[in-house]
Amino acid sequence: MSLAAFVLEKLCRGCQRCVHACPQNAIQMLSQLAVVNPDLCIECEACMEVCMQGAITFRETKGEVSAHG
């Protein structure tokens, strides 16, 4: 298992700052919500640093991509 960024839906405001900050293009917008592809996330925390809402955290993944990252 590894860690990957995860977007807390209730806090995300769709500003796209994390999308632009991610060096791996691991974050995409889906219906005004940022969604992280854990297979591309390198745990650099750039997204966390730019998120003004505190909507991004890290959680363990098993390598699968869920609907919410």
Side-chain angles (χ1 to χ4, degrees):
M1 279 194 253
S2 64
L3 294 178
F6 178 75
V7 178
L8 302 171
E9 294 180 25
K10 291 184 179 186
L11 297 178
C12 181
R13 299 292 176 251
C15 71
Q16 300 186 31
R17 290 174 64 107
C18 58
V19 174
H20 299 295
C22 181
Q24 295 297 110
N25 296 315
I27 306 174
Q28 297 179 351
M29 297 302 294
L30 277 169
S31 301
Q32 305 296 319
L33 178 70
V35 177
V36 180
N37 179 339
D39 292 331
L40 297 177
C41 179
I42 59 170
E43 305 168 35
C44 68
E45 298 185 7
C47 54
M48 286 180 65
E49 292 174 13
V50 300
C51 183
M52 302 301 284
Q53 306 301 321
I56 300 178
T57 187
F58 279 79
R59 70 174 186 183
E60 287 188 2
T61 64
K62 296 177 184 172
E64 75 277 2
V65 177
S66 71
H68 303 296

